[in-house]
Amino acid sequence: MNTWVSIRRTKANYPDTSPFHPDQIYPEYPFKDGPIDQENKLYGEVRELIRQLGYDSKHYGSPEWNPFGEVVVPGNTVVVKPNLVVDSHPLGTRGIYATVVHGAIIRVLIDYIWIALKGHGGIVIADSPIKEVDFDRILEQTGILASCNWLVRNGVPISTVDLRDFKAVRNSVGILIHDFQLEGDPAGYATINLGTLSAFHELDADMKARLRSTATYYENPVHECHDQERHVYSVARSILEADVIVSVAKLKTHIKSGVTLSLKNMVGVTNEKRWLPHYRVGDRTRGGDMHPESAQLSTRFHDWRYDWTSSHRAGQFVLRLLHSRIGGILDGYLARLLDWPRRPVLEPSGGNWYGNDTVWRMALDLNRIVFYADRNGEMREQPQRRYLSFIDGVLAGEGEGPLAPIPKPAGVIIAGENPIAVDIVGCSIMGFDWRSVPTISNANEYLGKGLAVDPDAIQVVGNEVQWQDVGGVRQNHLGFIPPRGWSESPFVITGRDA
């Protein structure tokens, strides 16, 4: 697998008007009679990002240029997997754009996928955001919906799929009060047991019994999915039936995994997030990673309460009471009771720190499935589908990501064929040491020879003179603010060039 990584430093902003037409009619552009948007300079920047990868360089500048032709062939089904995790942010639209992938990036990629398909094949935009998100709303907010509508009218067979099969609603105090079924993936879902291939297999029985998910909804089914014999995931068949996956991640921080880039983006291929372990109860002296060993009593109580309400029968009874009709009257009082003591927890808790030894295992398990599971969900030794990775860092996110990061105008877009190589570069750009990010540092071991990369062999290409190799990127990083629970870790590279 090619380990080139393309970086484009740009001053272009997200355009205001969807469907994000190009700023000019480029020689290879498939819609010769289509309108242009002279203000959309980002289109040309993404085009240059693709050119820097070197695909079909002999035809560049001509109508025959087909840069994705080495990855996408006519007749393929291509799944574009963006990070569309939320539809709201405390800072409004700008905050949303710092948290999710913008539709202007997606539009360029679809145009070049369509060129490669040569009129034969299909394109699916699919993701599984958090359970409270209005999927149609986020498609509209990002401009993806308007882009898709225009493309369909012009003959492109493209569809959007919400990979979730249920959605939940919270009330004014954050209590989940309602859930309802969604249509889900029209292709259905596959239940895949990784067994001994799972990154969780090496944990002992006590550690596995401590596994918890942040997506539990009045129950904790994780222990039914991860035990001594089984490590089970539910994955959308649209992902498994794809010939090509185009991952479009966001350049942002993550309170549990440090960063959320290409590898972490694959968490959005599952409908059953309640099955996904995010931390282990207790501290490391007890086989857990929910909080540091030095955590104060208030932090330990906070974490115990959080676990109790989602993982024990008494806690579930309280939550069901809140969920009932009487909860409409009592929810405020009970919520205050459950939030005692009410002062904020100032220490890392809930697995939100650099000592989290769980979430990376879950993320790499899902990547193993995406790359090595065949169309029937059977695990194979060789990668089963081709892959491209893009990262949107035009407006990036720092601090307490991934759901509510602080916007950071980084002006960076990144691309490559190997997700490990792309994430090493992306993490370094942010000012973080990838060797202290378990999702990245453990990827070679757990994702096998088909994806393993020598960090010293990564070739960086781009328009930034100082970013000609990984060392140069590391020395001239952008100084992202780390999540609070990661500030004490070797994860942060000193000497920021912010």
Side-chain angles (χ1 to χ4, degrees):
M1 182 177 282
N2 190 319
T3 58
W4 279 29
V5 177
S6 175
I7 309 173
R8 191 78 186 168
R9 195 77 187 274
T10 178
K11 295 181 179 179
N13 296 315
Y14 299 129
D16 295 327
T17 305
S18 181
F20 312 123
H21 296 303
D23 55 335
Q24 58 181 283
I25 301 297
Y26 295 100
E28 72 281 359
Y29 185 61
F31 309 107
K32 300 300 184 184
D33 298 326
I36 64 172
D37 179 1
Q38 294 181 345
E39 302 300 317
N40 183 11
K41 302 303 180 184
L42 187 57
Y43 193 106
E45 291 292 293
V46 178
R47 179 178 181 267
E48 282 297 295
L49 178 78
I50 296 169
R51 179 195 63 79
Q52 290 171 179
L53 285 171
Y55 293 140
D56 195 28
S57 57
K58 66 180 181 180
H59 290 124
Y60 176 72
S62 75
E64 287 73 39
W65 188 49
N66 179 14
F68 285 172
E70 296 181 31
V71 180
V72 177
V73 298
N76 278 174
T77 296
V78 182
V79 171
V80 178
K81 164 60 184 75
N83 185 325
L84 300 177
V85 64
V86 299
D87 62 1
S88 63
H89 190 284
L91 299 179
T93 300
R94 183 172 173 80
I96 293 173
Y97 287 172
T99 308
V100 304
V101 171
H102 197 276
I105 304 286
I106 301 292
R107 168 62 198 275
V108 186
L109 301 182
I110 292 173
D111 284 355
Y112 284 95
I113 292 169
W114 185 232
I115 290 171
L117 289 174
K118 297 182 178 180
H120 303 283
I123 304 170
V124 180
I125 299 176
D127 192 20
S128 175
I130 62 174
K131 55 186 172 291
E132 299 92 345
V133 165
D134 184 326
F135 191 73
D136 292 336
R137 181 185 179 196
I138 192 59
L139 291 180
E140 184 176 355
Q141 288 173 326
T142 56
I144 293 174
L145 181 61
S147 293
C148 289
N149 289 341
W150 187 89
L151 289 162
V152 167
R153 290 196 300 270
N154 284 271
V156 181
I158 185 169
S159 61
T160 58
V161 178
D162 182 351
L163 297 179
R164 302 171 301 172
D165 55 0
F166 86 98
K167 180 182 174 184
V169 178
R170 293 182 186 269
N171 65 9
S172 60
V173 293
I175 301 296
L176 292 168
I177 59 172
H178 180 58
D179 66 283
F180 53 91
Q181 294 297 308
L182 300 174
E183 293 182 5
D185 186 358
Y189 303 94
T191 300
I192 299 174
N193 179 16
L194 284 180
T196 59
L197 296 176
S198 171
F200 288 105
H201 179 69
E202 65 187 15
L203 299 182
D204 62 32
D206 179 66
M207 288 183 178
K208 291 176 184 177
R210 294 176 177 277
L211 294 172
R212 300 289 188 270
S213 172
T214 57
T216 52
Y217 187 53
Y218 304 159
E219 59 182 339
N220 180 44
V222 173
H223 71 279
E224 300 172 5
C225 304
H226 299 272
D227 55 30
Q228 290 300 91
E229 305 296 331
R230 306 166 70 243
H231 295 287
V232 179
Y233 297 89
S234 178
V235 175
R237 288 193 179 275
S238 285
I239 300 296
L240 300 179
E241 294 175 359
D243 299 292
V244 183
I245 301 290
V246 178
S247 169
V248 193
K250 193 70 179 178
L251 191 70
K252 62 179 178 178
T253 52
H254 194 293
I255 54 179
K256 284 182 170 61
S257 59
V259 297
T260 172
L261 303 173
S262 308
L263 294 167
K264 188 65 171 59
N265 191 37
M266 290 301 102
V267 174
V269 303
T270 175
N271 61 311
E272 265 296 359
K273 294 191 177 181
R274 295 173 295 182
W275 298 6
L276 304 183
H278 282 76
Y279 60 85
R280 302 196 297 269
V281 175
D283 61 35
R284 286 184 287 196
T285 64
R286 300 169 56 203
D289 59 7
M290 202 171 186
H291 47 247
E293 298 91 315
S294 60
Q296 297 178 5
L297 181 60
S298 59
T299 299
R300 293 176 181 273
F301 176 81
H302 172 275
D303 281 352
W304 171 84
R305 173 181 54 78
Y306 184 86
D307 181 55
W308 178 77
T309 54
S310 62
S311 305
H312 297 80
R313 290 185 178 181
Q316 291 168 22
F317 173 79
V318 173
L319 288 177
R320 289 191 177 95
L321 178 63
L322 292 172
H323 186 59
S324 69
R325 185 171 297 179
I326 193 173
I329 301 172
L330 298 180
D331 61 4
Y333 297 103
L334 289 172
R336 292 187 183 93
L337 175 63
L338 292 175
D339 277 337
W340 183 88
R342 299 187 66 190
R343 64 173 179 264
V345 176
L346 300 178
E347 297 179 305
S349 65
N352 299 339
W353 68 303
Y354 67 88
N356 188 313
D357 182 55
T358 301
V359 74
W360 68 266
R361 299 175 188 273
M362 173 267 290
L364 293 185
D365 274 5
L366 288 170
N367 275 272
R368 181 183 281 273
I369 290 171
V370 166
F371 282 98
Y372 293 101
D374 65 18
R375 290 173 178 265
N376 297 316
E378 298 293 327
M379 299 303 296
R380 304 299 181 186
E381 293 186 1
Q382 299 299 322
Q384 298 297 295
R385 50 199 56 85
R386 298 178 298 282
Y387 174 95
L388 286 171
S389 173
F390 291 83
I391 298 179
D392 172 11
V394 175
L395 184 61
E398 60 184 356
E400 302 302 289
L403 304 183
I406 302 167
K408 184 178 180 68
V412 176
I413 43 179
I414 309 170
E417 193 174 315
N418 184 297
I420 305 174
V422 170
D423 283 7
I424 287 173
V425 173
C427 190
S428 300
I429 284 175
M430 298 171 79
F432 304 137
D433 189 341
W434 66 269
R435 294 168 297 185
S436 296
V437 180
T439 308
I440 305 174
S441 62
N442 291 309
N444 275 350
E445 177 182 355
Y446 287 94
L447 295 185
K449 295 181 180 179
L451 292 176
V453 58
D454 178 358
D456 295 329
I458 296 173
Q459 300 182 59
V460 180
V461 293
N463 62 338
E464 186 73 30
V465 175
Q466 296 175 317
W467 290 351
Q468 297 303 313
D469 53 38
V470 176
V473 173
R474 179 185 174 92
Q475 293 171 10
N476 300 279
H477 62 79
L478 300 182
F480 277 51
I481 298 171
R484 184 182 61 192
W486 290 72
S487 60
E488 302 297 326
S489 166
F491 167 75
V492 180
I493 300 172
T494 57
R496 296 179 181 176
D497 180 27

